[in-house]
Every structure is written in C-alpha cells, then in structure tokens.
Amino acid sequence: METITSERFFRIYYAKPDPQTIARQLRKPSGQAAGKVAAKMNEANAPLFDLTLETMQPANDESILEIGFGSGKFLGKLFEQAGGLQVSGIDYSQAMLDNATTHNRSLIDAGRLNLERGNSNDLPYPNGSFDKVFCNMVIYFWDQPGKHLSEVRRVLKPNGRFYTGMRAKSSMMKLPFIEHGFNVYEIDQWSSVLSANGFKVIDIIKELDPSTEIEGEEMRMESICIVAEKR
C-alpha cells in the first residue's frame, strides 16, 4: 500500500499541508479546528470503538471509565448493552469535554454519566472505583506509559480489566503525521508494556476495518483490542 503524502492528507482533511498541526490537534483538539478534528476521529475510529465495546461486554451495574472520550459520540452505546451502568470519562481537551457534554446532556442530567477534563497520569477517582477501564487510540500520546498504567491499576477493582483499543505500528506508520509525537506499538510491544506494569494480557482481538478510499487510494486498517487484567 502506498503511503499518502503529508500534503495530500492535510489537503483532504484539514486544508493546510502541515502534519505537525494535525498531530497536535489529534493529541489535544482545540480552537476552531476541534469540531472538524472530532468528526474525522469519529469516522476513522467507529470500527475500533465497536470492536472494543463488543470485546468489553458491559454487564449490569458495572462501573466503567473511558480515557479519551473525544466528542463523546459513542458513549451512549455503552448504555445500550446493560442496565444500571455508571460510566465516567476523562479527556485532556476542554473542547472535547464541552462537545461531549452537549452530546450527552440527558445521560449526565440523569446521573448515569460523569465527564471530566484531566490527564490519565493523575486520575481524579478513588482507588478501586471501576470494574473496567478502556481507551481507544489514546496510548500513542502517553510519553511515559508507566505513569498512566499505574493510575489505571489504582482505580480498577481487584481483577478489574483494562481494554486497549489500538492499531498496529505497521499500519499507523503509513500515516504522514505519525512522526510528530506519536508513540506507536506492535501488539507484542504493547503487551510487554502492560505486563511490565502490573497487568496480565488475557486476550487479543483483531478485526479488519471496512475499506476507506482517499483520492482513489484504498486504505484498510486493522482494529485491535488487547484485554489485560489487573494483577
């Protein structure tokens, strides 16, 4: 598969040939571009969210945390899977918090969903708060993953599970902005990071996304969900 040039990618999606700006916005959407960035992330990551949700299988009355909820478009799907869920979410971007709050106002007002702005290396929740924690396309922005995973372990209940939604390094490296601040992994590399930070990998689920065509070029990513249990 041929790599799309940075200029063409940005012209198609963001109208400015600057991959550093793309990378910066993907890490922390802000300003006037935030809404457009969120829409593109939703489109690209919908298959991955669905795979993670299917793998996670929320059960009645569980407490679940999403790290990096973005626009919050998919949060409602959690509540379709089980009754009595208590869901929390944290995101680094104030623009995304504002966006997600608007999209999920009824769930927030009903006390079923709590959204906060913050960083996953300092989670604002008590020890043992959650049955499950998950994130999609977030670990690439963890410059020191051990600090984030330590916090994930802390807020998980005994034998709680952490679900990493990701795409493999070999796929991600085809994108022109990856060299600007992304920490990408192959499956075995991220599994080793999990194992070194107090988790036991218990399952790895993979599924090919639908084909996407950009200016006549076909791209097909592989969604991956790695399931790890707190040791």
Side-chain angles (χ1 to χ4, degrees):
M1 185 183 301
E2 181 182 352
T3 300
I4 299 172
T5 66
S6 59
E7 183 174 353
R8 289 179 65 200
F9 187 95
F10 211 113
R11 186 172 69 248
I12 295 164
Y13 285 98
Y14 300 94
K16 293 182 180 179
D18 182 356
Q20 290 178 299
T21 301
I22 299 176
R24 187 166 57 249
Q25 281 288 341
L26 289 173
R27 177 180 284 265
K28 186 180 182 181
S30 61
Q32 294 181 344
K36 191 171 184 178
V37 170
K40 291 300 178 183
M41 287 194 296
N42 289 339
E43 180 182 352
N45 296 331
L48 180 58
F49 186 95
D50 288 343
L51 177 65
T52 302
L53 181 59
E54 181 181 351
T55 303
M56 189 163 53
Q57 296 184 343
N60 291 343
D61 302 317
E62 283 188 329
S63 54
I64 298 175
L65 170 66
E66 180 175 14
I67 296 172
F69 51 75
S71 71
K73 178 181 178 181
F74 304 123
L75 283 166
K77 290 186 175 184
L78 289 163
F79 297 93
E80 298 171 2
Q81 307 300 309
L85 291 182
Q86 287 294 319
V87 178
S88 297
I90 190 164
D91 199 283
Y92 189 47
S93 165
Q94 182 64 48
M96 292 298 93
L97 174 60
D98 295 342
N99 203 326
T101 298
T102 299
H103 284 167
N104 297 281
R105 175 52 65 190
S106 61
L107 289 168
I108 294 171
D109 289 346
R112 303 173 68 191
L113 175 65
N114 173 64
L115 300 179
E116 298 190 47
R117 179 182 178 276
N119 198 317
S120 51
N121 63 9
D122 186 20
L123 292 171
Y125 311 107
N127 296 350
S129 294
F130 301 103
D131 298 288
K132 296 170 180 175
V133 177
F134 74 101
C135 65
N136 288 310
M137 304 294 280
V138 168
I139 62 171
Y140 310 126
F141 307 115
W142 290 356
D143 297 329
Q144 296 179 293
K147 291 185 176 181
H148 299 265
L149 291 173
S150 175
E151 279 292 273
V152 171
R153 283 191 78 257
R154 182 183 65 78
V155 301
L156 276 171
K157 296 177 182 179
N159 304 120
R161 293 185 175 182
F162 175 49
Y163 299 78
T164 305
M166 59 178 282
R167 293 189 171 97
K169 180 178 181 178
S170 52
S171 294
M172 293 293 289
M173 291 305 295
K174 298 179 185 299
L175 300 174
F177 48 79
I178 293 303
E179 62 187 87
H180 299 288
F182 282 67
N183 304 296
V184 291
Y185 303 86
E186 297 293 0
I187 293 172
D188 59 342
Q189 292 173 323
W190 183 246
S191 297
S192 294
V193 173
L194 289 167
S195 297
N197 286 278
F199 289 90
K200 178 183 178 182
V201 174
I202 59 174
D203 207 355
I204 298 171
I205 310 296
K206 299 183 286 184
E207 187 174 280
L208 281 175
D209 295 358
S211 297
T212 300
E213 188 175 288
I214 301 176
E215 285 196 336
E217 298 182 35
E218 184 176 297
M219 294 187 68
R220 195 169 191 190
M221 306 289 279
E222 184 177 50
S223 290
I224 301 162
C225 183
I226 299 179
V227 187
E229 188 172 83
K230 175 180 175 178
R231 288 194 305 221

